mmCIF file of all heavy atoms in Angstrom:
data_model
loop_
_atom_site.group_PDB
_atom_site.id
_atom_site.type_symbol
_atom_site.label_atom_id
_atom_site.label_comp_id
_atom_site.label_asym_id
_atom_site.label_seq_id
_atom_site.Cartn_x
_atom_site.Cartn_y
_atom_site.Cartn_z
ATOM 1 N N ALA G 199 -16.881 4.203 51.529
ATOM 2 C CA ALA G 199 -16.767 3.182 52.729
ATOM 3 C C ALA G 199 -16.678 3.968 54.039
ATOM 4 O O ALA G 199 -17.097 3.500 55.009
ATOM 5 C CB ALA G 199 -15.705 2.234 52.515
ATOM 6 N N ARG G 200 -15.994 5.153 53.948
ATOM 7 C CA ARG G 200 -15.723 5.726 55.254
ATOM 8 C C ARG G 200 -16.362 7.171 55.467
ATOM 9 O O ARG G 200 -15.851 7.992 56.112
ATOM 10 C CB ARG G 200 -14.142 5.922 55.451
ATOM 11 C CG ARG G 200 -13.450 4.568 55.073
ATOM 12 C CD ARG G 200 -11.935 4.778 55.200
ATOM 13 N NE ARG G 200 -11.522 4.516 56.508
ATOM 14 C CZ ARG G 200 -11.005 3.349 56.942
ATOM 15 N NH1 ARG G 200 -10.866 2.358 56.114
ATOM 16 N NH2 ARG G 200 -10.692 3.177 58.213
ATOM 17 N N LEU G 201 -17.420 7.296 54.691
ATOM 18 C CA LEU G 201 -18.046 8.618 54.690
ATOM 19 C C LEU G 201 -18.742 9.017 55.979
ATOM 20 O O LEU G 201 -18.699 10.165 56.410
ATOM 21 C CB LEU G 201 -19.110 8.703 53.556
ATOM 22 C CG LEU G 201 -18.564 9.307 52.214
ATOM 23 C CD1 LEU G 201 -19.660 9.349 51.258
ATOM 24 C CD2 LEU G 201 -18.035 10.656 52.439
ATOM 25 N N SER G 202 -19.251 7.989 56.770
ATOM 26 C CA SER G 202 -19.808 8.471 58.042
ATOM 27 C C SER G 202 -19.046 7.748 59.193
ATOM 28 O O SER G 202 -18.336 6.811 58.813
ATOM 29 C CB SER G 202 -21.312 8.003 58.196
ATOM 30 O OG SER G 202 -21.384 6.585 57.987
ATOM 31 N N LYS G 203 -19.146 8.113 60.423
ATOM 32 C CA LYS G 203 -18.426 7.578 61.478
ATOM 33 C C LYS G 203 -18.768 6.080 61.630
ATOM 34 O O LYS G 203 -17.811 5.241 61.828
ATOM 35 C CB LYS G 203 -18.793 8.315 62.751
ATOM 36 C CG LYS G 203 -18.190 9.706 62.866
ATOM 37 C CD LYS G 203 -18.179 10.125 64.272
ATOM 38 C CE LYS G 203 -17.522 11.461 64.518
ATOM 39 N NZ LYS G 203 -17.332 12.417 63.533
ATOM 40 N N TRP G 204 -20.024 5.839 61.527
ATOM 41 C CA TRP G 204 -20.378 4.409 61.652
ATOM 42 C C TRP G 204 -19.767 3.550 60.517
ATOM 43 O O TRP G 204 -19.328 2.445 60.858
ATOM 44 C CB TRP G 204 -22.002 4.231 61.617
ATOM 45 C CG TRP G 204 -22.584 2.956 61.646
ATOM 46 C CD1 TRP G 204 -23.567 2.514 60.990
ATOM 47 C CD2 TRP G 204 -22.113 1.817 62.546
ATOM 48 N NE1 TRP G 204 -23.921 1.235 61.285
ATOM 49 C CE2 TRP G 204 -22.951 0.793 62.323
ATOM 50 C CE3 TRP G 204 -21.124 1.688 63.547
ATOM 51 C CZ2 TRP G 204 -22.940 -0.428 62.979
ATOM 52 C CZ3 TRP G 204 -21.159 0.414 64.192
ATOM 53 C CH2 TRP G 204 -21.921 -0.617 63.957
ATOM 54 N N ARG G 205 -19.884 3.990 59.321
ATOM 55 C CA ARG G 205 -19.276 3.203 58.179
ATOM 56 C C ARG G 205 -17.820 3.126 58.371
ATOM 57 O O ARG G 205 -17.171 2.092 58.072
ATOM 58 C CB ARG G 205 -19.567 3.896 56.909
ATOM 59 C CG ARG G 205 -20.940 3.603 56.418
ATOM 60 C CD ARG G 205 -21.215 4.216 54.989
ATOM 61 N NE ARG G 205 -22.497 3.972 54.541
ATOM 62 C CZ ARG G 205 -22.872 3.015 53.828
ATOM 63 N NH1 ARG G 205 -22.003 2.023 53.500
ATOM 64 N NH2 ARG G 205 -24.158 2.852 53.474
ATOM 65 N N ASP G 206 -17.193 4.172 58.902
ATOM 66 C CA ASP G 206 -15.741 4.093 59.157
ATOM 67 C C ASP G 206 -15.345 3.019 60.112
ATOM 68 O O ASP G 206 -14.430 2.246 59.917
ATOM 69 C CB ASP G 206 -15.325 5.561 59.616
ATOM 70 C CG ASP G 206 -13.755 5.791 59.588
ATOM 71 O OD1 ASP G 206 -13.208 5.063 58.722
ATOM 72 O OD2 ASP G 206 -13.270 6.485 60.382
ATOM 73 N N VAL G 207 -16.077 3.017 61.237
ATOM 74 C CA VAL G 207 -15.788 1.981 62.291
ATOM 75 C C VAL G 207 -16.078 0.547 61.719
ATOM 76 O O VAL G 207 -15.333 -0.340 61.978
ATOM 77 C CB VAL G 207 -16.711 2.260 63.450
ATOM 78 C CG1 VAL G 207 -17.032 1.031 64.197
ATOM 79 C CG2 VAL G 207 -15.902 3.208 64.453
ATOM 80 N N LEU G 208 -17.174 0.501 60.945
ATOM 81 C CA LEU G 208 -17.396 -0.885 60.230
ATOM 82 C C LEU G 208 -16.231 -1.278 59.499
ATOM 83 O O LEU G 208 -15.780 -2.462 59.524
ATOM 84 C CB LEU G 208 -18.606 -0.671 59.354
ATOM 85 C CG LEU G 208 -19.952 -0.895 59.923
ATOM 86 C CD1 LEU G 208 -21.076 -0.574 58.920
ATOM 87 C CD2 LEU G 208 -20.164 -2.299 60.480
ATOM 88 N N ALA G 209 -15.717 -0.343 58.665
ATOM 89 C CA ALA G 209 -14.571 -0.778 57.833
ATOM 90 C C ALA G 209 -13.394 -1.185 58.677
ATOM 91 O O ALA G 209 -12.688 -2.133 58.354
ATOM 92 C CB ALA G 209 -14.207 0.432 56.910
ATOM 93 N N LYS G 210 -13.092 -0.324 59.740
ATOM 94 C CA LYS G 210 -11.975 -0.665 60.574
ATOM 95 C C LYS G 210 -12.074 -2.013 61.254
ATOM 96 O O LYS G 210 -11.162 -2.820 61.243
ATOM 97 C CB LYS G 210 -11.822 0.419 61.618
ATOM 98 C CG LYS G 210 -11.166 1.675 61.082
ATOM 99 C CD LYS G 210 -10.640 2.715 62.141
ATOM 100 C CE LYS G 210 -11.795 3.408 62.760
ATOM 101 N NZ LYS G 210 -11.361 4.538 63.606
ATOM 102 N N ALA G 211 -13.380 -2.263 61.784
ATOM 103 C CA ALA G 211 -13.593 -3.544 62.514
ATOM 104 C C ALA G 211 -13.446 -4.694 61.548
ATOM 105 O O ALA G 211 -12.837 -5.719 61.835
ATOM 106 C CB ALA G 211 -14.896 -3.534 63.129
ATOM 107 N N ARG G 212 -13.968 -4.536 60.343
ATOM 108 C CA ARG G 212 -13.829 -5.523 59.341
ATOM 109 C C ARG G 212 -12.269 -5.815 59.032
ATOM 110 O O ARG G 212 -11.845 -6.983 58.914
ATOM 111 C CB ARG G 212 -14.461 -5.123 58.078
ATOM 112 C CG ARG G 212 -14.805 -6.248 57.108
ATOM 113 C CD ARG G 212 -16.020 -5.930 56.291
ATOM 114 N NE ARG G 212 -16.216 -6.975 55.414
ATOM 115 C CZ ARG G 212 -15.564 -7.100 54.193
ATOM 116 N NH1 ARG G 212 -14.763 -6.154 53.811
ATOM 117 N NH2 ARG G 212 -15.816 -8.147 53.418
ATOM 118 N N ALA G 213 -11.539 -4.772 58.929
ATOM 119 C CA ALA G 213 -10.103 -4.917 58.680
ATOM 120 C C ALA G 213 -9.415 -5.647 59.854
ATOM 121 O O ALA G 213 -8.426 -6.369 59.553
ATOM 122 C CB ALA G 213 -9.446 -3.539 58.470
ATOM 123 N N GLU G 214 -9.977 -5.467 60.971
ATOM 124 C CA GLU G 214 -9.286 -6.131 62.189
ATOM 125 C C GLU G 214 -9.767 -7.602 62.293
ATOM 126 O O GLU G 214 -9.234 -8.291 63.119
ATOM 127 C CB GLU G 214 -9.628 -5.396 63.473
ATOM 128 C CG GLU G 214 -8.955 -4.087 63.596
ATOM 129 C CD GLU G 214 -9.496 -3.147 64.640
ATOM 130 O OE1 GLU G 214 -10.448 -3.550 65.358
ATOM 131 O OE2 GLU G 214 -9.048 -2.006 64.649
ATOM 132 N N GLY G 215 -10.720 -7.993 61.520
ATOM 133 C CA GLY G 215 -11.054 -9.410 61.523
ATOM 134 C C GLY G 215 -12.386 -9.691 62.244
ATOM 135 O O GLY G 215 -12.796 -10.908 62.391
#
Side-chain angles (χ1 to χ4, degrees):
Chain G
R200 310 178 91 98
L201 266 181
S202 61
K203 288 199 175 17
W204 176 222
R205 282 185 180 266
D206 192 29
V207 150
L208 272 175
K210 283 195 281 191
R212 201 155 175 271
E214 286 166 5

